Amino acid sequence: MIDNISWLAIYPEIVLLVMACVVALVDLGVKSRQRTLTYALTMLTLAVVAALQALYASGGNTLYGWGNMVVSDAMGNWLKCFSTVAVMVTLVYGRGYAADRDMLRGGDLFSLSMLSLLGMFVMTSANNFLVLYLGLELLTLSSYALVALRRDSPLATEAAMKYFVLGAMASGFLLYGLSMIYGATGSLDIGQVFKAINAGQIRHQVLVFGLVFVVAGLAFKLGAVPFHMWVPDVYQGAPSVITLFLGSAPELAAFAIVIRLLVDGLLPLAIDWQQMLAVLAIGSLLVGNIAGIVQTNLKRMLAYSTIGQMGFVMLGLLSGVVHGNADAVALENAYSSAMFYIVTYVLTFMAAMGVILLLAREGFESDEIADFAGLNQRSPLYAGVMAVCMFSLAGIPPLVGFYAKLSVLQALVASGQGFHIGLAVFAVVMSLIGAFYYLRVVKVMYFDAPVTSVPFSAPLQVRVVLTLNGALVLVLGLLPGGLMTLCADAVVRALAT
């Protein structure tokens, strides 16, 4: 018999699943090229789900359900709320783009987006290895289909194949690592795994062997070096609306499973996985920031930017445990700074991709850096939004990207370890190098002559959302306290359970 708490813990997931099926069925009778009814029904569903998640998160309660296999806590609910908003923004920006490229012949974009979001929800709520893996596969299988959604594009088809092959490898790594940990601990429950490892009655070598594969699988999902091979090709080859989707909400879900596995389940092995994250962070910062310099395609440049930014997230994650001591304050500072970083990065990435989608038109992608030449003369507003995004990604004050980097560096330095301080210095140097390719985009927009005088237009809702998106990047940089407090409170409540 399933108790009421079990149902309460997954109400948003139930709503999302039911409505994804309803949207798919309703779309069968829709003939409009713009899929207006399907779009409206999808947006209404996502708005309700986001409100439910915000309500759950604000309550601050932690619920366990379905035999302890799922958990509903403040951190997970806020991440699910932000993921839902990210999908809504993606659909607002990308609907016109998709219609121009005949990607709305069916309601696949909307139903697959909702199913992908459901996979993110299941991942984020997982308190069991099997549930986590099921959510991951639901997300990845839907994402493969989304990348290949533009059937007449050889680039999209190639990107989907690369994503599928490398994604299957990553899933295999993760599943093998989880099976090793299950074999060592005898439990699939993340909380029980923590207790078994903490008791110290398990062979350490077996656990570390499984841990290596788990970290490798997570690194694939985060796009960290040396498991980053799919990111530039998929970001460039996928339709721009799908690039926006892949670079936003799934990053939040990936952060959630890192916390669930490495912190909630494997924190006693922190001294081992922190070393692995340090190697991944160094490689990501180095490759992401140096390789990005030579890119001419803006989406590919943003892919290498993502790799570099994930390096900063991992720096935050590895700074929590000092000399094997899991101090509560250090854990809060480390993981809240990492959560703040990933949330603000997604916010900035969405605005940057929104400008790319705004400038795109039928038969023209507008994804080369040269396509932005003289944008300030054509539209000072959208040039300003793009400039704000580039400055924020580069970490220039007073934008939110600066405060996000500062919070991670503070967590590193506060640990007092010489190695962590060295990592902080290295991260600053890599950020200075990476600033070159962000500032190059600004230079092209403001100082190069326009290559075309073709006007561009967008629906009112797109212009309003994009303007608000860009404004938030600035406002959260000036007033970061509210979001930082929210992240810290969510992390504290999650760790307390």
Side-chain angles (χ1 to χ4, degrees):
M1 181 176 178
I2 304 299
D3 56 44
N4 291 332
I5 293 180
S6 293
W7 290 109
L8 188 63
I10 60 167
Y11 270 150
E13 284 84 350
I14 294 173
V15 172
L16 191 58
L17 174 60
V18 170
M19 291 308 299
C21 297
V22 169
V23 166
L25 291 173
V26 168
D27 186 75
L28 295 174
V30 175
K31 304 299 181 184
S32 166
R33 183 170 179 263
Q34 293 286 335
R35 286 299 193 271
T36 304
L37 177 59
T38 310
Y39 173 76
L41 193 57
T42 301
M43 296 300 284
L44 177 61
T45 300
L46 295 178
V48 170
V49 169
L52 274 175
Q53 296 292 7
L55 185 64
Y56 274 38
S58 300
N61 298 320
T62 299
L63 304 174
Y64 289 89
W66 298 91
N68 237 30
M69 291 192 296
V70 297
V71 57
S72 172
D73 59 12
M75 184 195 74
N77 288 322
W78 278 123
L79 287 173
K80 288 188 282 185
C81 177
F82 295 149
S83 298
T84 307
V85 173
V87 173
M88 293 176 68
V89 172
T90 298
L91 295 179
V92 170
Y93 289 162
R95 181 187 173 207
Y97 174 95
D100 289 342
R101 285 148 185 81
D102 205 22
M103 293 169 62
L104 295 183
R105 283 178 292 183
D108 300 347
L109 175 63
F110 304 113
S111 55
L112 286 172
S113 295
M114 294 174 73
L115 289 173
S116 296
L117 182 62
L118 178 61
M120 298 176 216
F121 278 19
V122 174
M123 288 165 56
T124 305
S125 297
N127 194 45
N128 180 283
F129 288 163
L130 286 180
V131 175
L132 186 148
Y133 190 74
L134 287 173
L136 178 65
E137 287 305 291
L138 178 56
L139 167 62
T140 53
L141 291 173
S142 301
S143 299
Y144 302 150
L146 283 170
V147 173
L149 198 57
R150 191 176 177 189
R151 301 175 181 87
D152 59 347
S153 171
L155 277 177
T157 304
E158 179 186 352
M161 288 299 295
K162 290 178 179 177
Y163 192 20
F164 173 75
V165 172
L166 293 174
M169 186 187 304
S171 297
F173 278 5
L174 183 61
L175 187 60
Y176 185 69
L178 293 178
S179 69
M180 292 293 294
I181 294 173
Y182 167 66
T185 62
S187 178
L188 295 171
D189 185 280
I190 291 176
Q192 293 301 318
V193 167
F194 176 89
K195 292 177 181 177
I197 298 173
N198 212 30
Q201 300 175 350
I202 298 169
R203 290 182 62 186
H204 186 73
Q205 295 88 342
V206 177
L207 281 174
V208 173
F209 187 72
L211 179 63
V212 169
F213 283 92
V214 167
V215 172
L218 294 176
F220 262 99
K221 300 307 177 185
L222 287 170
V225 173
F227 307 103
H228 67 291
M229 300 82 71
W230 63 274
V231 180
D233 290 339
V234 172
Y235 273 40
Q236 182 180 3
S240 294
V241 60
I242 307 304
T243 301
L244 170 55
F245 180 88
L246 294 176
S248 53
E251 298 288 356
L252 300 172
F255 173 81
I257 64 169
V258 170
I259 294 293
R260 297 294 187 213
L261 285 176
L262 298 186
V263 179
D264 290 351
L266 303 174
L267 190 62
L269 299 177
I271 194 170
D272 297 301
W273 57 255
Q274 282 181 332
Q275 296 175 37
M276 301 178 199
L277 291 187
V279 174
L280 295 174
I282 291 171
S284 299
L285 288 166
L286 186 65
V287 173
N289 287 298
I290 292 179
I293 293 174
V294 299
Q295 306 305 318
T296 58
N297 182 277
L298 189 53
K299 290 200 296 182
R300 196 173 184 86
M301 188 205 83
L302 288 173
Y304 282 105
S305 167
T306 298
I307 294 168
Q309 304 289 346
M310 290 305 106
F312 261 97
V313 173
M314 285 180 284
L315 289 180
L317 291 169
L318 67 85
S319 62
V321 179
V322 182
H323 300 302
N325 297 318
D327 178 73
V329 175
L331 291 176
E332 177 189 341
N333 291 338
Y335 304 139
S336 63
S337 68
M339 181 177 173
F340 180 83
Y341 197 102
I342 196 77
V343 170
T344 54
Y345 164 71
V346 167
L347 177 71
T348 309
F349 179 84
M350 287 193 300
M353 284 301 303
V355 177
I356 294 176
L357 287 165
L358 181 73
L359 298 183
R361 56 186 184 275
E362 194 168 358
F364 181 69
E365 288 297 315
S366 186
D367 59 356
E368 295 291 329
I369 294 176
D371 296 332
F372 282 72
L375 178 60
N376 182 57
Q377 299 178 35
R378 299 171 60 197
S379 173
L381 174 61
Y382 299 125
V385 171
M386 193 65 170
V388 164
C389 294
M390 294 298 104
F391 286 138
S392 180
L393 290 172
I396 295 174
L399 303 170
V400 70
F402 166 77
Y403 191 82
K405 284 180 168 58
L406 180 62
S407 62
V408 168
L409 295 175
Q410 284 177 331
L412 271 174
V413 173
S415 69
Q417 293 191 62
F419 178 62
H420 285 179
I421 295 173
L423 284 177
V425 173
F426 177 76
V428 171
V429 172
M430 288 298 104
S431 294
L432 290 173
I433 294 174
F436 170 81
Y437 58 79
Y438 297 122
L439 298 180
R440 181 177 58 180
V441 177
V442 177
K443 176 260 180 187
V444 167
M445 291 191 301
Y446 282 88
F447 298 104
D448 286 10
V451 294
T452 179
S453 58
V454 177
F456 56 87
S457 60
L460 177 62
Q461 63 174 344
V462 175
R463 287 178 281 153
V464 169
V465 172
L466 183 58
T467 303
L468 290 174
N469 196 166
L472 272 176
V473 175
L474 175 60
V475 171
L476 286 176
L478 296 171
L479 303 169
L483 181 57
M484 192 68 213
T485 300
L486 181 149
C487 293
D489 180 68
V491 166
V492 168
R493 291 178 183 275
L495 293 176
T497 59

